[in-house]
Every structure is written in structure tokens, then in C-alpha cells.
């Protein structure tokens, strides 16, 4: 836990510092272009590549608990194949659609497709989900944390150099590509090294069919766990795309600084979620229900209370904070930053609900909850955009997180009522 907190604090710091320097180097319009490119690439990545790490943790932990190393190695092979095929599909589609979609989402005519094509190369080189699964199963959160800190630090150093040399937007796009490639490969090679230490590295020669027969329900769990993430993260990216298509890149730049701050605030809760999932899975599987629910209550009240106490004074001074961090051009971003900060408060308060539902085997209920929340997000998006502009888009995130939280709570209550 200490490694994860240190990692996320430093990664959040590097992320915020990188955003500040990028904003001061390029201005709101260029920040908007970077946001649109990143959103395009990440949306296609999420839509066309299933991440197997949650399924591998679930079934791999069971295999190791039974001392079935053959079953575990088959799972690793299956995970690698899923990563490779998903990366090929997502990368190919991203490149093919770039010339058509770039101008439609607000990127400059002609050159916008080139911006996308450069960054989309990184989609072909992502084996991170397999790396995450292996390292987390063996409790090597320290290795994963250190690698994430180093990668974020390298990007920050690159951005500082680009700023000092007064480089243009291409340098920042290249740094985005570098970050994506390192993120996609470093964790995997660290995981392979961990497998080698445990004499589990010879997995690529195994048959895939055995992995499916040894792990019934793997594909269902893979789909359900990813469908929930696809819905949730698509809303986190699609809003930028729609804002670019309907507003201008300067407005997108204002919106992006608010979103990036929200992302870095939420990042501080990621270590808790990462540690909670395997721990809660063990508690539920061993029928230690009292400890399970005590953990749920403690984390919920602690996260919501602390984040709310911190957020209230920041909201009061947000215009001054926006100017101080990003410069006078970004004063108009203050309302968006405030709204998205409170969306982050809701997200952090409900942080424990996702691993709780997965640990209880309620992955289908989690998917339904996220689907309903996404529908409400989509229905409210355009009316709020027309009514309030980028502030309206920010409010849709508050609405999504609120509906999602209530839906998860109702799903848990319904399960408990059925199993009294």
C-alpha cells in the first residue's frame, strides 16, 4: 500500500506539473488539440481491445491457491494473445478512421489525421494488462509502482525540455507516444522477469484450448469486467470528442485542464482499489463477511469525508488557482474545474463499490448499473451542453457518478435481501 500511494502521489504530481507546463507552453487551443488526439486514441483502444487483467487475477489466483501452475501458465498465454490481438485491431482501426474522423471532431483539416496517426502507433505495443495481472497476483505492487513513477517522470522531463527549447505541438505528441509505448511494454517485461524467478516463464508454447477448458466462465467474466470499464471510460473520453465537434479547441482546452485535475485527484484512490480487489475477493471466498462489510463501510466513509473536506476550500478559490497554475488565459476554466472536482469527490466516495461487486460475483449487476448510468449520461449530455456549454458537460460527470453510486448500492442491497 505504501508503494502504491507513493507511486500515485508522484504520478499525480508529475501529471499536474506536466499539464501546467504544457498549458503555459502551448495555450488553450493546442491543449485542446492534444486532448482530442488522446481522447480519440483512447476511445478506440477501449472499444476494440479487451483487457484481461481482472479475469486473469480472479482465475489465476484460484489456480495458484490450488498449486496448479500449468493452469496458471495457460492463463498467462491466453492473456498475452488477447493483448496482442486487441492491440492490432484497435491500432489498425484508429489509423484507418483517422483521415475521416479527425476533421469531424474538431482537429485541423489534413494535419489532424497526422497528429492521430503518430500517437496511434502506441496501440500496437500494449501488453500492460498481462503485466498488471501477473505483478498484482504475486503482490509485486512495488515493482509496478516504481515503473509507473519512472515513466511519468521521464515524460515530465521531456515536457520540461520541450518547453525550454520552445518546441511546437509535434514534440508534445511525440512525448505522448513515448509515454504510451513505455506504459504498454515495461510492466509486461517486469512481469516476465517475475515469472522467470518462479520458473513459470515457459508459457507461449502452451495450447490456448487448454486455458479455456481449465477456466470455465473466463470469457463471460472477461466481457463483463471489460464492458463495465468500456462504458465508464468511454464517457470519460467521448465528452472531449463531442465538445471538439460542437465547440472549439479553446473550449476543449479549458475543459481538458479541469478533467486532467480530476483525473489526477482520482488517481490518488487507485492504490486503494488495486489492493482492495484481491483482498476483498479472498474475504468473500473464505466467507469472512463481517470483515468484508466492515472494510466496505470504512473505506467509503473515509474516502468521501477526506475528499470533501479538502475540496470545499479549493472550490472557494478556484479562479485564483486556475490563473496561478495555468496563466491568465485559463481563468474561464475555473467553473469547469470546480464542477469536475466534486465529480471526483463522488467517485472517490464510491471507490470500494466496484471491487465489492466483483468480489461478490455480481459482475452482471455492475454492468447493468454502468449501462444505466451511461444511458443517463448520454441523454443529459446534449441538453446540458446546449444549456451550459462546457460547464454542462462537466455536470454530466457529476450525474453519472451519482447514478452509478446509487445503482451499486441498490444492487448490493437487492443481493443481501435475496440471500437472508
Amino acid at each position: 500500500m505504501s508503494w502504491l500511494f507513493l507511486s500515485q502521489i508522484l504520478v499525480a504530481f508529475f501529471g499536474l506539473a506536466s499539464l501546467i507546463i504544457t498549458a503555459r507552453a502551448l495555450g488553450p487551443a493546442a491543449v485542446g488539440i492534444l486532448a482530442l488526439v488522446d481522447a480519440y486514441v483512447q476511445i478506440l483502444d477501449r472499444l476494440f481491445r479487451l483487457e484481461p487483467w481482472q479475469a486473469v487475477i480472479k482465475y489465476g489466483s484460484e489456480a495458484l491457491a490450488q498449486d496448479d501452475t500449468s493452469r496458471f501458465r495457460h492463463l498467462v498465454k491466453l492473456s498475452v494473445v488477447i493483448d496482442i490481438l486487441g492491440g492490432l485491431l484497435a491500432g489498425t482501426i484508429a489509423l484507418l478512421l483517422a483521415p475521416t474522423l479527425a476533421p469531424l471532431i474538431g482537429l485541423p483539416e489534413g494535419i489532424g489525421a497526422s497528429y492521430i496517426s503518430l500517437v496511434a502507433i502506441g496501440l500496437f505495443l500494449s501488453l500492460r494488462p498481462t503485466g498488471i495481472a501477473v505483478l498484482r497476483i504475486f503482490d509485486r505492487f512495488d515493482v509496478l509502482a516504481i515503473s509507473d513513477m519512472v515513466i511519468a517522470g521521464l515524460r515530465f522531463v521531456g515536457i520540461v525540455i520541450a518547453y525550454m527549447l520552445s518546441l511546437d505541438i509535434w514534440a508534445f505528441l511525440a512525448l505522448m507516444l513515448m509515454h504510451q509505448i513505455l506504459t504498454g511494454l515495461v510492466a509486461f517485461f517486469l512481469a516476465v522477469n517475475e515469472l522467470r524467478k518462479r520458473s513459470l516463464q515457459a508459457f507461449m508454447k502452451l495450447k490456448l484450448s487448454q486455458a479455456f477448458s481449465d477456466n470455465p466462465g473466463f470469457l463471460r467474466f472477461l466481457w463483463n469486467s471489460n464492458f463495465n470499464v468500456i462504458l465508464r471510460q468511454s464517457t470519460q473520453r467521448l465528452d472531449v470528442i463531442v465538445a471538439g465537434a460542437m465547440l472549439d479547441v479553446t473550449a476543449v482546452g479549458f475543459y481538458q485542464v479541469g478533467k486532467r485535475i480530476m483525473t489526477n485527484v482520482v488517481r490518488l484512490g487507485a492504490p486503494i482499489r488495486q489492493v482492495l480487489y484481491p483482498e476483498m475477493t479472498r474475504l468473500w471466498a473464505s466467507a469472512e463477511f463481517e470483515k468484508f462489510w466492515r472494510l466496505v463501510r470504512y473505506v467509503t466513509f473515509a474516502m468521501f469525508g477526506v475528499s470533501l473536506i479538502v475540496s470545499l476550500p479549493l472550490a472557494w478559490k478556484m479562479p485564483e488557482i486556475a490563473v496561478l497554475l495555468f496563466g491568465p488565459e485559463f481563468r474561464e476554466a475555473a467553473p469547469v474545474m470546480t464542477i469536475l472536482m466534486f465529480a471526483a469527490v463522488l467517485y472517490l466516495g464510491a471507490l470500494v463499490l466496484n471491487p465489492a461487486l466483483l468480489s461478490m460475483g455480481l459482475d452482471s449487476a455492475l454492468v447493468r448499473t454502468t449501462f444505466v448510468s451511461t444511458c443517463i449520461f448520454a441523454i443529459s449530455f446534449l441538453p446540458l451542453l446546449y444549456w451550459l456549454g462546457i460547464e454542462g458537460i462537466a455536470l454530466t460527470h457529476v450525474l453519472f457518478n451519482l447514478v452509478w453510486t446509487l445503482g451499486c448500492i441498490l444492487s448490493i442491497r437487492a443481493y443481501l435481501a435475496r440471500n437472508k
Side-chain angles (χ1 to χ4, degrees), residues 21-22 24-26 156-168 171-172 175:
I21 295 174
T22 301
R24 289 184 172 274
L26 301 178
F156 171 68
V157 170
I159 288 175
V160 170
I161 294 172
Y163 174 70
M164 293 177 65
L165 296 177
S166 300
L167 300 180
D168 63 11
F172 292 85
L175 288 168

Side-chain angles (χ1 to χ4, degrees), residues 51-104:
E51 293 191 350
W53 67 268
Q54 292 186 85
V56 173
I57 287 178
K58 175 178 174 59
Y59 289 90
S61 297
E62 293 175 359
L64 292 176
Q66 299 166 4
D67 201 25
D68 191 346
T69 57
S70 175
R71 178 187 173 192
F72 177 77
R73 287 162 59 233
H74 278 89
L75 273 172
V76 175
K77 164 70 177 289
L78 177 59
S79 182
V80 171
V81 171
I82 291 172
D83 280 344
I84 292 174
L85 294 179
L88 288 172
L89 180 62
T92 301
I93 292 175
L95 291 175
L96 291 176
L97 295 181
T100 302
L101 295 183
L104 297 179

Side-chain angles (χ1 to χ4, degrees), residues 363-380:
D363 46 292
S364 296
L366 181 60
V367 170
R368 288 194 299 271
T369 299
T370 308
F371 180 76
V372 171
S373 303
T374 304
C375 289
I376 294 176
F377 176 93
I379 292 170
S380 63

Side-chain angles (χ1 to χ4, degrees), residues 280-300:
M280 295 179 78
T281 299
R282 285 191 286 266
L283 288 175
W284 190 264
S286 59
E288 298 183 66
F289 301 125
E290 184 177 346
K291 291 183 179 179
F292 182 91
W293 294 118
R294 188 186 309 129
L295 184 61
V296 171
R297 291 192 296 270
Y298 176 80
V299 174
T300 298

